[in-house]
Amino acid sequence: MRALVIDDSRAMRTILGRILVGQGFTVSEAGNGQEALDTLDALHAEGDTPVLCLVDWNMPVMDGLTFIKQVGKRDEYRNVTLMMVTTESEHGNIVRALAAGAHEYVIKPFTADAIADKLALLGLVSAEVTA
């Protein structure tokens, strides 16, 4: 399964990428929403459309909310799961992101377990069984 991590922070892309690789994903990265749309189109053309996009809200060129709205307009991406991962913690912003098409919302800072729990909730990975 391929995932696309979209964040203008290289460090954050690395952190999220490592978490996703640990969950069995192959990871691509983009530094803003426009670059992410271009990457999504290129991967789709290769027959390797990501099943998951982790999307930061605040980025240059195109922000994460606009990216989510753009993806939502395109039928070929209707099966892509969109998870906002952001510092935007106001209730109104969470509602706006979910209304725009985000499937989940994670507020930074987060733990690897929080991301794994959300992925399990979305049915993208198996829930870990603890004794």
Side-chain angles (χ1 to χ4, degrees):
M1 290 187 297
R2 180 165 298 279
L4 179 59
V5 176
I6 309 155
D7 198 304
D8 59 333
S9 164
R10 181 178 299 181
M12 187 55 63
R13 291 194 308 266
T14 299
I15 291 167
L16 288 168
R18 287 181 181 160
I19 292 169
L20 292 175
V21 168
Q23 295 292 321
F25 287 89
T26 301
V27 176
S28 297
E29 298 181 2
N32 62 65
Q34 184 58 57
E35 183 181 339
L37 282 176
D38 295 343
T39 301
L40 199 57
D41 288 341
L43 290 169
H44 181 71
E46 296 171 2
D48 193 19
T49 306
V51 298
L52 171 69
C53 293
L54 301 186
V55 187
D56 186 23
W57 189 301
N58 297 304
M59 297 180 287
V61 184
M62 179 188 290
D63 65 34
L65 186 62
T66 302
F67 170 81
I68 286 173
K69 289 176 181 176
Q70 292 296 316
V71 169
K73 292 178 182 176
R74 300 184 48 187
D75 287 342
E76 65 268 33
Y77 300 134
R78 68 174 171 262
N79 293 326
V80 176
T81 299
L82 302 168
M83 183 187 304
M84 188 69 90
V85 182
T86 180
T87 57
E88 295 292 331
S89 60
E90 292 183 25
H91 179 74
N93 286 339
I94 296 170
V95 171
R96 283 177 56 205
L98 295 174
H103 298 92
E104 260 303 341
Y105 200 98
V106 175
I107 298 170
K108 297 174 185 174
F110 55 82
T111 64
D113 288 342
I115 298 295
D117 289 348
K118 295 288 187 180
L119 295 174
L121 186 68
L122 293 165
L124 294 172
V125 298
S126 299
E128 186 173 319
V129 178
T130 57

